[in-house]
Amino acid sequence: KSSLPKTILKNGGMTTTVAGSVLEKAGTMENLLDRIPNASAQNGSIKVFGRGEPVIYINGRQMRDKSELDRLHSDNIKSVEVITNPGARYAASTKAVIRITTKKIQGEGFGFDATTTGEYDEKKNFGGYSRLNMSYRKNGLELGAYAFGAKQYQPDNKDLQQKTYLDKTWNQKSEIRQVGILEAMNFRLNASYQLDANNSIGANFGFLRNPKQTWNGDMSSSILQDEELSENSDSHADFFWQKNNLSSNIYYVGKIGKLGIDFNTDWLWSKEYQNDVTKEQYQEVGMNAQSQTAHSLTNKDYHLLASKLVLSYPIAKGQLELGSEVSHTHSSGEYSNAEGIVADASTDMKEDNLAGFLAFSYPLGSFSMDAGLRYEYVSAKYYSFGKYEEEPSRNYSNWFPNLTLSWNKEPWAASLAYTCKTKRPSYSSLRNEIGRA
């Protein structure tokens, strides 16, 4: 009697088998990923230890929206691979990758599954979510529809105390009482066709809407100097956020002889609206009270068109991969502050990314090797109030090599990796209210 190891070290990461294990009973994808070695998932945030937020792939296709995880359940998952040393196959700014492989659905005909959960807290807030998955399969053709709706309350109460010891002792006490309310709906249609045992094509279209996400909170603070009150302040914040997303994907996965082909194209459109109001009052001992209100409005539009092609060919016991990626993004935004605390902004950012890579993997008994070389060219153009600005606009051209050696011999495993990476600011870091502050 023998059994396969549940987690193995390979190609710069760890692959965990979910099918047939207790992990099948984890429930939601967040619960599952939180139980996968080297990964954590809590309150919608997914992290890889020592690397931060990963890029996630589902059946070889990059996940563009986190709501896609809501469509999956632990008992539908075959395996999860956590890659802590991404090679040339991935963008040079990728710090970590999680690859999720689902089980192949068996049988033909119509099928559906539905899930509903409810939550009721001590503040008498009621929330939860419902999802419905429907599919039809016949002679290689598969049609699917998915619907999801949720309302969630997210309380976040804190009592903080900070002491600073200088020539005098400063004691800052803060009491924070805040709650967020999220409403979301998500719909998706997909179709795929299995041409033969080695070739399949497919497409999907999705719509995501967050009709309302609010966040309001109060914070009271006091500062004491040698236990005597020096200053106190009170603030109240109200945030309102709304989002709409449209997305689509077309893919082909197949073989021509020994040549493997993996091609997919993604399109994404997103629009966001945000209304923020913050009121603050503070008073120093012996001084008059001071108050201030900040009211800001933000509108954002985001467009993405991206394609990726990977060709693979076996060489001896190893595999050679040659691929390319192209993408175009256009992000525009309008920001205004009623009090003039921060200057108004109107920005456009256009970015074109072209990449090519060559990778080779080879098993050597208990060892395995993965080597690659990636080239990236990025052209970013920045416009403010319709005028092109040369200083923040950039062109980059770089080479990124990588090499990983892994060793597996039950119950031990080890790896040694060299990877060349780059770090680029996120769109969140370039948002209007920060860029113009």
Side-chain angles (χ1 to χ4, degrees), residues 386-425:
K387 182 180 178 181
Y388 175 74
E389 295 197 1
E390 186 173 351
E391 196 279 329
S393 300
R394 292 285 189 272
N395 291 326
Y396 301 96
S397 178
N398 301 98
W399 293 91
F400 302 95
N402 75 279
L403 175 64
T404 301
L405 297 175
S406 302
W407 175 75
N408 275 286
K409 198 171 183 63
E410 283 292 320
W412 304 98
S415 69
L416 178 66
Y418 166 80
T419 308
C420 186
K421 293 291 182 183
T422 189
K423 183 178 181 180
R424 298 189 176 97

Side-chain angles (χ1 to χ4, degrees), residues 264-278:
N264 66 77
T265 294
D266 286 289
W267 171 80
L268 173 67
W269 170 84
S270 179
K271 186 176 180 65
E272 297 181 26
Y273 167 77
Q274 189 170 331
N275 186 343
D276 302 336
V277 180
T278 302

